[in-house]
Amino acid sequence: MDYYEILGVKKDASQDEIKKAFHRLAHKYHPDKGGDEKKFKEINEAYQVLSDKQKRAQYDQFGQVFGQGQGQGPYDFNWAWGNGPRNEEDVAFDFSDIGNIFEDLFTGNQEKSQRHNVKKAKDIHVDVEIPLENVLKEFNQKIDLRKFVVCQRCQGSGGEKGSKIKECFSCRGVGTVQQVRKTFFGSYTTVTTCPECKGEGLIPENPCNVCKGEGRIKGEESIEVSIPAGIDSNQIIKVDGRGDALRRGGKPGNLYVRIFVKEHPIFARKGDDLFTNIGIHLTDAVLGGEVEIETLEKTKILLTIPQGTDSGKILRISGKGLPRFQGFGRGNLYVELRVKTPKKISKEQKKLIEKLKEQGL
C-alpha cells in the first residue's frame, strides 16, 4: 500500500499539498455521503501517517510505521460516524484503556462530549516579588508575558480577509467524533475532540497566512496589574481574560499573580503589624528620655522612653504598621528597647557608677 499513491501526491509533497489532497478525497469518499468506506479508510490512514513528520520519516525510510497492526491506520481505533463502528474486526485492543472504560460507564458519552465542547484557553500563573515598602499603598506592577495572543492579521478569525468559515467535514460541525475500541469487556464508544477542527466544528475556507488558521500566535504582552495596599505573601490576584488566547476567538484564559513580599532588614511583619528594635543608652533607660526612630515610610518620629525601662521592653506606636488588606486603618508598630551596656568607661564614669553602687543602685 503506497500512501503517496493513495492521496495522489508526489513523495516530496508539502504538508499543505497533502492536506488539500486529503480534504478533496475525504469529501469524495466519505461514507456518510455515499462514498466507498474501504477507500475512505485507506485515505484516512495515509493522511494520518504523511501528516505526521515523525511517522512520515519512518514510512519513507522503512516503508511502514512501527507499532501498528497490519492494515490499521496510525492509531489503534477507527473513526466512526453515526451510531457505531463500521467494522468492529478492525478495532484494536489496548489494555491501557481499562480505566477509560469504567469512566465512560459512570459518566456517559454525553457528559464527555460536553466537556470537550467547553472552549476556554489555558490560564497563566506567575509569581511576583515585591519589597515590603510597596505594601504601604496600592500600585501598578508591570508583568511581561510570553503567551498566545490574538493574530492581528485575521483578528482571531483564523481565515484570510473575506474568507468564509465552513463546517468541518470530519465531525459535521459537532466538534467531536466517536472513538470505538474493543476490549475483553466488549466494544465501547467514547467521544473525543475532532482532530481536524480541534473541537471548533468550523474551519476557515482560506486559512490565515500568519497563524495558519489558529487565530492566535505566540507573542509577548506587557500587562499592568493593580496590587492592593496591605497585600501579603502567597495571596493571589486574578486578572480575567489576560491568560492565553484561544483558537479562533474563543474565551481567553485568566492570569493569576501570586505575590511574595521580600524580607526587610529592619522591620519584621506579622499580619498588619510591624516589629523592630532599637538600642538605648543606660542613662535613658534609668532616667527616661526620647529617641528618634525611622518608620517604614522613611519618616522620623520621636519615641518617648519611660523612666526605669528594662531591656526588652516593647513600646507600641498606633497606626504606624501596614494598611489592612481590603479594610480601613493600619496596624501598629512595636518597638523593642535594648539597653546598651558600655564596653569602655572613663575613670570619672567609673567613680560615679561606684557611688551609685554604694547607694544601692
Side-chain angles (χ1 to χ4, degrees):
M1 183 183 296
D2 188 330
Y3 289 151
Y4 292 101
E5 185 178 334
I6 290 173
L7 293 182
V9 296
K10 297 179 180 179
K11 288 192 175 182
D12 60 351
S14 66
Q15 288 295 318
D16 190 52
E17 290 173 332
I18 291 173
K19 188 173 183 179
K20 287 181 179 178
F22 170 66
H23 285 183
R24 176 174 52 81
L25 293 172
H27 276 294
K28 182 177 179 181
Y29 292 100
H30 200 296
D32 285 354
K33 297 183 178 180
D36 187 326
E37 181 181 339
K38 183 177 179 181
K39 182 69 174 177
F40 181 76
K41 285 185 179 181
E42 292 179 352
I43 293 167
N44 184 53
E45 179 180 335
Y47 175 67
Q48 296 297 344
V49 172
L50 298 185
S51 63
D52 185 294
K53 290 183 180 179
Q54 185 176 356
K55 292 176 182 177
R56 183 179 180 181
Q58 227 178 64
Y59 176 74
D60 288 343
Q61 185 174 0
F62 302 105
Q64 62 177 313
V65 178
F66 296 105
Q68 297 178 181
Q70 182 66 28
Q72 294 176 340
Y75 303 117
D76 60 348
F77 58 87
N78 291 326
W79 294 113
W81 287 263
N83 297 322
R86 303 286 179 175
N87 185 356
E88 291 188 355
E89 294 179 356
D90 292 336
V91 183
F93 171 77
D94 188 351
F95 280 96
S96 65
D97 296 325
I98 295 176
N100 290 333
I101 297 172
F102 289 107
E103 180 185 356
D104 297 334
L105 289 174
F106 288 102
T107 61
N109 288 331
Q110 184 176 1
E111 179 182 345
K112 208 162 192 183
S113 175
Q114 290 173 351
R115 290 202 300 268
H116 281 296
N117 284 330
V118 175
K119 299 178 182 179
K120 183 178 178 298
K122 289 184 178 179
D123 298 325
I124 297 177
H125 299 259
V126 298
D127 295 338
V128 172
E129 192 176 48
I130 63 173
L132 183 60
E133 291 88 345
N134 285 20
V135 179
L136 290 169
K137 59 182 180 180
E138 183 178 353
F139 70 100
N140 290 331
Q141 175 72 40
K142 182 181 177 183
I143 300 175
D144 296 322
L145 299 174
R146 177 74 178 170
K147 64 171 195 171
F148 280 110
V149 297
V150 175
C151 175
Q152 294 302 306
R153 179 177 178 87
C154 66
Q155 296 298 310
S157 69
E160 286 292 319
K161 187 176 181 180
S163 175
K164 295 180 180 179
I165 304 299
K166 60 181 182 180
E167 181 183 279
C168 174
F169 72 92
S170 293
C171 66
R172 308 294 290 272
V174 178
T176 57
V177 291
Q178 291 181 350
Q179 181 179 340
V180 184
R181 297 191 181 184
K182 186 177 181 180
T183 73
F184 59 84
F185 290 106
S187 298
Y188 75 103
T189 304
T190 60
V191 177
T192 187
T193 303
C194 174
E196 186 63 31
C197 66
K198 304 296 189 299
E200 298 292 330
L202 301 171
I203 54 176
E205 194 172 53
N206 186 16
C208 172
N209 289 329
V210 175
C211 64
K212 309 304 180 186
E214 286 282 317
R216 63 178 185 174
I217 58 173
K218 273 288 187 180
E220 296 180 355
E221 184 178 7
S222 292
I223 298 174
E224 284 199 350
V225 179
S226 178
I227 311 295
I231 196 165
D232 206 346
S233 287
N234 285 314
Q235 286 187 293
I236 296 175
I237 299 172
K238 176 185 175 183
V239 187
D240 291 329
R242 302 311 293 267
D244 275 334
L246 189 62
R247 299 176 74 253
R248 294 203 283 273
K251 184 179 179 181
N254 300 320
L255 171 64
Y256 293 90
V257 182
R258 183 169 58 171
I259 300 297
F260 290 96
V261 182
K262 296 179 184 178
E263 290 188 2
H264 195 276
I266 298 174
F267 298 97
R269 176 183 187 175
K270 291 183 180 179
D272 301 325
D273 298 325
L274 292 175
F275 294 79
T276 189
N277 60 78
I278 60 170
I280 61 172
H281 295 296
L282 179 60
T283 52
D284 289 330
V286 175
L287 303 174
E290 290 183 331
V291 62
E292 191 176 66
I293 65 170
E294 189 174 76
T295 65
L296 186 61
E297 297 100 317
K298 303 296 184 183
T299 59
K300 294 183 178 180
I301 59 175
L302 285 176
L303 179 64
T304 300
I305 302 171
Q307 182 179 332
T309 294
D310 294 324
S311 186
K313 183 178 178 63
I314 297 176
L315 301 180
R316 183 184 69 183
I317 306 175
S318 298
K320 288 299 181 181
L322 297 172
R324 293 187 174 89
F325 183 71
Q326 294 184 340
F328 299 97
R330 293 175 58 168
N332 302 317
L333 171 61
Y334 293 89
V335 183
E336 181 182 353
L337 304 177
R338 295 181 179 176
V339 179
K340 295 186 291 185
T341 303
K343 304 298 181 184
K344 293 182 180 181
I345 57 176
S346 65
K347 290 181 179 180
E348 185 177 350
Q349 290 171 332
K350 186 176 180 181
K351 289 179 181 179
L352 291 172
I353 293 174
E354 286 176 346
K355 286 183 179 180
L356 293 172
K357 183 178 180 182
E358 291 173 357
Q359 295 177 15
L361 293 177

